[in-house]
Amino acid sequence: MQRWKVNLAVLWFGNFLVMAGMTMITPFLSLYLQQDLGVTGDHEIGVWAGFIFAANFVTSFFFQPLWGKLSDRYGRKMMLLRSGFGMSIVIVLMGFANAPWQLLLLRMMNGVISGYSPAAVSLVSATTPKEKMGFAMGTLQSGGTAGTILGPLIGGVMADTFGFRPIFYITGSLLFLASALSWIMVKENFDREAAAKRPQASMIKGFRELARIPQLPALFSVTFLIQFAMLSPMALIPLYIKELHGSTTNLDLMAGLVSSVTGFSNMVSAPLLGRLSDRIGSTRILIVSLIGAGVMFVPQAFVGSVPQLLACRFLLGCFVGGLLPTVNSLIRRFTPDGRESRSFGYNSSFLALGNMVGPVVGGALSGFIGIQGLLLVSAASLLATSGWAYNLLQRRQPQAAGRS
């Protein structure tokens, strides 16, 4: 088996476990706060749950560029293992928390040391043949998507079976296993002596250097806008389902199906669209996927039943599978050699920013325009982004060899 395929397979598994571990807490966070950490009152539970859930993204936003810089200096595999082993320890410690502020600090720490997924993307991009880059990025993305889909389901099942605290111990142990497999099986040809001789710029100066390449800030912004558009209406989808369904019978099941169907179609389509991008170019796939995703948000605002919404969300996922993997492929194409990890680190920060801002803005606007209005705002955002990305990504840089 070719080395790049071995790396991809191991990192797919690791990416799955990381994203599953990050989302396993979602179904029972409020109950964990109430039953194990002694938080009382719906308002207080809601406030603590919101802060604890967001804490990971806040610290991740600030620290991802630092890990990207160190990755270019010391190697992607080292940053991969730092993040994997570090998060496995922090997640186990979450099971020993006795107060909500302890869980909050641990979630913040988890965001500080996170970075497995960006390091995996950088390592795969550095070891994969250029003609297979789209397929590799799509496949790696499908691992993270599968973890995001199945994480809450696995967490809910384990909570019913073992209770809340053992979930953290099991998740940390699985993440430790994935990191150990990465340590043993993933290989990287990294010349530390050559990296040490390169001039080391500060994070601000490094960002300015990358920003001189017009495609890169455009791609970072596209990542933010994708996450913003996808997440801004998400919190209100269960209420929309209740409105469409007209009763509370099987409401939880329907909400789960509607929430997960986009991820399932995303997981299937990402490798297929990645392979297609290797043939016809990543920019084409990105533009078509942005337009398709934007268009598929429109009928969601006018559906009259849950099955119709389910079908629209499934088709949305088919186009979403071509978004972030092609962005990562294009970032690698336009980034100068030796700066790849730093680029992926900044892109990860913009992704975390979209994860934070999207739900906040969506919640603020929902009182004025409702869920239907939010769906149309998401559609308009993605369609506008497709036109903007089309114009900016047509510019060529000397280092951007190959088709785009």
Side-chain angles (χ1 to χ4, degrees), residues 256-267:
L257 285 174
V258 172
S259 299
S260 62
V261 70
T262 303
F264 277 113
S265 55
N266 180 345
M267 182 175 64

Side-chain angles (χ1 to χ4, degrees), residues 236 361-371 374:
L236 297 178
V361 174
L365 292 177
S366 63
F368 300 98
I369 59 178
I371 179 63
L374 285 177

Side-chain angles (χ1 to χ4, degrees), residues 68-74 190 195 198 338-342:
K69 175 183 177 180
L70 294 178
S71 182
D72 286 330
R73 175 65 177 82
Y74 297 105
F190 186 80
R198 298 191 191 106
R339 295 290 183 268
E340 302 94 342
S341 297
R342 185 172 295 199

